[in-house]
Coordinates of all heavy atoms in Angstrom, one line a residue:
S66 N 160.0 98.9 27.8 CA 159.8 97.7 26.9 C 158.9 98.1 25.7 O 157.7 98.5 25.9 CB 159.1 96.6 27.7 OG 158.6 95.6 26.8
P67 N 159.4 97.9 24.5 CA 158.6 98.2 23.3 C 157.5 97.2 23.1 O 156.4 97.6 22.7 CB 159.6 98.1 22.1 CG 160.7 97.2 22.7 CD 160.8 97.6 24.1
A68 N 157.7 96.0 23.5 CA 156.7 95.0 23.4 C 155.5 95.3 24.3 O 154.4 95.1 24.0 CB 157.2 93.5 23.7
L69 N 155.8 95.7 25.6 CA 154.8 96.1 26.5 C 154.0 97.3 26.1 O 152.8 97.4 26.2 CB 155.5 96.3 27.9 CG 154.5 96.4 29.1 CD1 153.6 95.2 29.1 CD2 155.3 96.5 30.4
L70 N 154.7 98.3 25.5 CA 154.0 99.5 25.0 C 153.1 99.1 23.8 O 152.0 99.7 23.7 CB 155.1 100.6 24.6 CG 155.8 101.2 25.7 CD1 156.9 102.1 25.2 CD2 154.8 102.0 26.6
S71 N 153.6 98.2 23.0 CA 152.7 97.7 21.9 C 151.4 97.1 22.4 O 150.3 97.3 21.9 CB 153.5 96.7 21.0 OG 154.6 97.3 20.4
E72 N 151.6 96.3 23.5 CA 150.4 95.7 24.1 C 149.5 96.7 24.7 O 148.3 96.5 24.8 CB 150.9 94.6 25.1 CG 151.2 93.2 24.6 CD 149.9 92.7 23.9 OE1 148.9 92.5 24.6 OE2 149.9 92.4 22.7
A73 N 150.1 97.8 25.3 CA 149.3 98.8 25.8 C 148.4 99.5 24.7 O 147.2 99.7 24.9 CB 150.1 99.9 26.5
A74 N 149.0 99.7 23.5 CA 148.3 100.3 22.4 C 147.2 99.3 22.0 O 146.1 99.7 21.6 CB 149.2 100.5 21.2
H75 N 147.5 98.0 22.0 CA 146.5 97.0 21.7 C 145.3 97.1 22.6 O 144.2 97.0 22.2 CB 147.2 95.6 21.7 CG 146.3 94.4 21.4 ND1 146.7 93.1 21.6 CD2 145.0 94.4 21.0 CE1 145.8 92.3 21.3 NE2 144.7 93.1 20.9
S76 N 145.6 97.2 23.9 CA 144.5 97.2 24.9 C 143.7 98.5 24.7 O 142.4 98.5 24.9 CB 145.0 97.1 26.3 OG 145.6 95.8 26.5
V77 N 144.3 99.6 24.4 CA 143.6 100.9 24.2 C 142.6 100.7 23.0 O 141.5 101.1 23.0 CB 144.5 102.0 24.0 CG1 143.8 103.3 23.5 CG2 145.3 102.4 25.3
A78 N 143.2 100.1 21.9 CA 142.4 99.9 20.7 C 141.2 99.0 21.0 O 140.0 99.2 20.6 CB 143.2 99.2 19.6
D79 N 141.4 97.9 21.8 CA 140.3 97.0 22.2 C 139.3 97.8 23.1 O 138.1 97.5 22.9 CB 140.9 95.8 23.0 CG 141.6 94.8 22.1 OD1 141.5 95.0 20.8 OD2 142.3 93.9 22.6
S80 N 139.7 98.6 23.9 CA 138.7 99.4 24.8 C 137.9 100.2 23.9 O 136.6 100.3 24.1 CB 139.5 100.2 25.8 OG 140.3 99.4 26.7
L81 N 138.5 100.9 22.9 CA 137.7 101.8 22.0 C 136.7 101.0 21.2 O 135.5 101.3 21.0 CB 138.6 102.6 21.1 CG 137.9 103.5 20.1 CD1 137.1 104.6 20.8 CD2 138.9 104.2 19.2
N82 N 137.1 99.8 20.8 CA 136.3 98.9 20.0 C 135.1 98.4 20.8 O 134.0 98.2 20.3 CB 137.1 97.7 19.5 CG 138.1 98.1 18.5 OD1 138.0 99.2 17.9 ND2 139.1 97.3 18.3
E83 N 135.3 98.1 22.1 CA 134.2 97.7 23.0 C 133.1 98.8 23.0 O 131.9 98.5 23.0 CB 134.7 97.4 24.4 CG 134.8 95.9 24.7 CD 136.1 95.3 24.1 OE1 137.2 95.7 24.6 OE2 136.0 94.5 23.2

Side-chain angles (χ1 to χ4, degrees):
S66 167
L69 192 51
L70 289 173
S71 295
E72 273 301 301
H75 179 188
S76 294
V77 170
D79 285 351
S80 299
L81 181 60
N82 292 340
E83 259 79 66

